[in-house]
Amino acid sequence: MLETELRKVHFIGIGGIGMSALAHYFISKNINVSGYDKIKSEITQSLEIKGAKIFYEDNLNAIESINNIDLVIYTPAIGEDNNQLKYFSKHSIPLLKRSDVLGDISRLFKTIAVAGTHGKTTTSSIVAHILRTSNQDGVCFIGGISSNYNSNFLLGKGVLSVMEADEYDRSFLKLSPHSIVLTSMDADHLDIYNDKETLQSSFYNFTELLENKKKLIVEESLKNLFKNNLTYGFNSESNLQILNIKILDNCYQFDIKYRNKIYNNFSFKMPGKYNLLNAAGAVLSCLENEINMDDIRSALHSYKGVKRRFDIHVENSEIVYIDDYAHHPSEISALLNAVKEFYPNKITIGLFQPHLYSRTRDFLQDFSSSLSSLDELFLLPIYPAREKPIEGINSSLLLSKVPLLKKQIISSENDLFSQLDSKNSFVLLTIGAGDIDEWVPSIIDYINKR
């Protein structure tokens, strides 16, 4: 893929978080961008403002100058029955997956690839913020909307890049990483990998892409699974250690030990020890790419997070409302531990939308265990995403497995509000990776009117 030869690029599924970042990249290169998505969203509207021609019905007549398209990029989430996919396949127009294009771009920079079943988006967004505040960013592709920049894409004049390395569909094997941060390797995407061992072997294959094997940076619990790796975490044996942790004014205060030297007075406002681990991985990757520690300290202090990652929308003496993308049992457990740590005196009410029938089936007992840390649970029907229903797998089954006295399935915002009317002091969480975020504005409005 030679950017200099491209005049017009078309995206099928342009509204996805990864696809839209690529669209922003091509727009920044003054290449005409068009695209299709099922749903009009803030993401697609931001692209339209920048000049992208986007339509929302799978209609070939909606594509302007269809014969002038040089490249079509699509996401694996698009079904084979898509009219555009069939047309471009038939007419021999270059057709690439998002991962192929991202792989080509990764070769243009010293790319920090952030991999793992959890923590990729937060870690990569911290790296991106550090690179931007230190003027070292070349291009940053973030798997969420950075609250600092209200964007999932940053473009600077530096030589460093950060990209999320997505294990789904093994797409991360297309990247050319200069260094890798590996946050976790829990079982997930078993619809693709079948078992944890196959998933882990895919991660091993990914780490083999490094030319310099000493540029592998792993969370400390993974250290024995690899050779010649650097580690980060809370243990004194790690190459980067976070220590002397305190919570002051709803903010972590801590020190960092790196290469046997202690650096003091770091602050980070994202709750949860898992977010401290994400920060540690980001910091170590930036230090190993010669970013100054003072710049890193300043960036951590000003980091505001990512939308839908411990995203605090309301915080007062009575009610706290947090929206979070957590959709795996491990992520839910980490989220709830953080809530208990920062708001120990409030009851915790969770509204959870399970994501995928297969994930609900594969981790039924794990979901039951993680959700049992709530004081009260409201469940929505399973969000199917790319899947067809699996007989017997539904939210009623999950609800029956959760050992809580206060639990029920609801189907509307009014159902939720009628249950909340009688409650005074609580933390409310909306949890899930489907379309539960569409409830956020109504919930904020309800709380503000109480």
Side-chain angles (χ1 to χ4, degrees):
M1 182 196 73
L2 294 175
E3 296 167 10
T4 53
E5 297 176 0
L6 297 176
R7 294 160 299 168
K8 182 170 175 134
V9 178
H10 182 69
F11 288 80
I12 308 175
I14 197 168
I17 199 72
M19 291 283 279
S20 61
L22 269 182
H24 279 293
Y25 175 79
F26 283 109
I27 290 171
S28 75
K29 300 295 181 182
N30 296 315
I31 295 168
N32 288 327
V33 167
S34 62
Y36 156 78
D37 208 274
K38 286 183 179 179
I39 300 169
K40 193 181 186 84
S41 65
E42 287 185 29
I43 287 175
T44 59
Q45 287 174 308
S46 72
L47 287 167
E48 288 177 300
I49 289 169
K50 290 193 173 182
K53 305 294 184 183
I54 300 177
F55 55 96
Y56 301 92
E57 291 184 7
D58 184 18
N59 182 354
L60 292 169
N61 294 327
I63 305 176
E64 295 181 5
S65 305
I66 192 168
N67 295 323
N68 293 331
I69 291 173
D70 301 305
L71 174 66
V72 176
I73 302 171
Y74 70 101
T75 167
I78 295 294
E80 294 179 358
D81 59 345
N82 180 272
N83 291 319
Q84 299 159 75
L85 208 55
K86 289 190 287 189
Y87 174 86
F88 292 118
S89 298
K90 182 179 178 181
H91 287 79
S92 301
I93 293 173
L95 194 61
L96 294 176
K97 285 185 179 181
R98 178 182 69 90
S99 55
D100 294 309
V101 181
L102 207 57
D104 287 340
I105 297 171
S106 71
R107 286 183 267 280
L108 303 175
F109 299 89
K110 291 172 63 177
T111 295
I112 302 168
V114 182
T117 44
H118 323 297
K120 290 188 295 292
T121 297
T122 299
T123 305
S124 60
S125 71
I126 298 169
V127 173
H129 183 55
I130 294 171
L131 297 183
R132 169 52 58 95
T133 55
S134 59
N135 296 314
Q136 300 292 320
D137 58 315
V139 63
C140 302
F141 293 94
I142 307 168
I145 304 298
S146 163
S147 296
N148 285 87
Y149 308 103
N150 197 33
S151 179
N152 56 344
F153 172 75
L154 299 177
L155 181 67
K157 296 181 179 179
V159 298
L160 291 171
S161 165
V162 62
M163 297 181 178
E164 285 195 31
D166 189 1
E167 74 278 5
Y168 176 73
D169 202 27
R170 296 177 173 82
S171 62
F172 57 0
L173 298 178
K174 302 290 181 65
L175 297 178
S176 292
H178 175 264
S179 52
I180 289 175
V181 181
L182 183 52
T183 64
S184 51
M185 288 199 304
D186 290 337
D188 199 8
H189 300 304
L190 298 186
D191 55 325
I192 299 291
Y193 290 101
N194 296 320
D195 55 53
K196 184 177 180 179
E197 289 71 28
T198 306
L199 172 71
Q200 287 190 347
S201 70
S202 189
F203 277 103
Y204 293 137
N205 292 338
F206 174 61
T207 63
E208 286 299 312
L209 297 176
L210 283 172
E211 287 188 17
N212 182 352
K213 298 300 187 284
K214 293 181 180 179
K215 291 291 186 180
L216 175 60
I217 297 164
V218 305
E219 192 270 327
E220 60 192 8
S221 67
L222 305 175
K223 67 178 181 179
N224 293 327
L225 300 177
F226 299 91
K227 296 177 181 178
N228 299 322
N229 53 283
L230 300 174
T231 59
Y232 63 89
F234 305 118
N235 294 331
S236 58
E237 298 84 13
S238 290
N239 297 95
L240 184 139
Q241 178 193 12
I242 287 187
L243 67 166
N244 302 329
I245 303 165
K246 301 173 186 150
I247 299 175
L248 296 172
D249 299 323
N250 280 355
C251 182
Y252 282 121
Q253 309 286 334
F254 56 92
D255 301 325
I256 286 177
K257 183 180 179 183
Y258 173 66
R259 293 185 178 175
N260 296 317
K261 181 178 178 181
I262 293 180
Y263 299 82
N264 305 112
N265 301 322
F266 289 81
S267 62
F268 188 66
K269 58 175 67 88
M270 295 302 298
K273 293 288 172 45
Y274 65 101
N275 276 322
L276 280 180
L277 281 173
N278 293 333
V283 169
L284 183 52
S285 71
C286 289
L287 289 169
E288 291 297 313
N289 281 283
E290 301 179 350
I291 305 294
N292 180 280
M293 187 69 90
D294 288 335
D295 289 338
I296 291 172
R297 183 187 288 107
S298 176
L300 288 187
H301 178 71
S302 62
Y303 177 74
K304 296 179 181 178
V306 183
K307 291 183 180 179
R308 301 221 65 225
R309 271 67 172 185
F310 214 101
D311 201 353
I312 301 173
H313 289 280
V314 177
E315 187 174 36
N316 58 50
S317 60
E318 294 297 318
I319 297 175
V320 177
Y321 169 44
I322 301 164
D323 179 45
D324 198 279
Y325 188 76
H327 55 284
H328 185 281
S330 298
E331 295 168 348
I332 294 171
S333 293
L335 169 67
L336 297 182
N337 286 338
V339 169
K340 300 288 186 183
E341 183 181 25
F342 272 68
Y343 307 102
N345 299 318
K346 293 188 186 300
I347 66 166
T348 306
I349 301 168
L351 173 65
F352 176 52
Q353 180 187 45
H355 185 263
L356 296 179
Y357 296 101
S358 60
R359 184 180 281 123
T360 306
R361 175 199 62 200
D362 295 338
F363 301 106
L364 190 64
Q365 290 305 131
D366 295 321
F367 276 121
S368 166
S369 176
S370 62
L371 292 169
S372 67
S373 296
L374 291 163
D375 296 298
E376 190 166 350
L377 169 64
F378 297 104
L379 268 185
L380 291 176
I382 295 172
Y383 184 81
R386 56 187 177 268
E387 290 186 338
K388 289 182 169 58
I390 297 173
E391 185 175 354
I393 303 300
N394 51 48
S395 288
S396 295
L397 175 64
L398 175 56
L399 192 76
S400 70
K401 300 291 185 182
V402 180
L404 288 177
L405 292 175
K406 296 182 178 181
K407 58 181 181 178
Q408 62 179 290
I409 292 174
I410 62 172
S411 57
S412 73
E413 294 161 349
N414 288 334
D415 288 346
L416 173 67
F417 300 153
S418 65
Q419 295 296 320
L420 295 178
D421 282 341
S422 61
K423 304 180 192 304
N424 293 319
S425 181
F426 56 84
V427 178
L428 174 65
L429 301 164
T430 44
I431 310 168
D435 58 5
I436 191 173
D437 58 312
E438 294 178 6
W439 288 41
V440 172
S442 298
I443 292 173
I444 295 171
D445 188 52
Y446 164 78
I447 294 173
N448 288 337
K449 287 178 178 176
R450 279 173 58 110

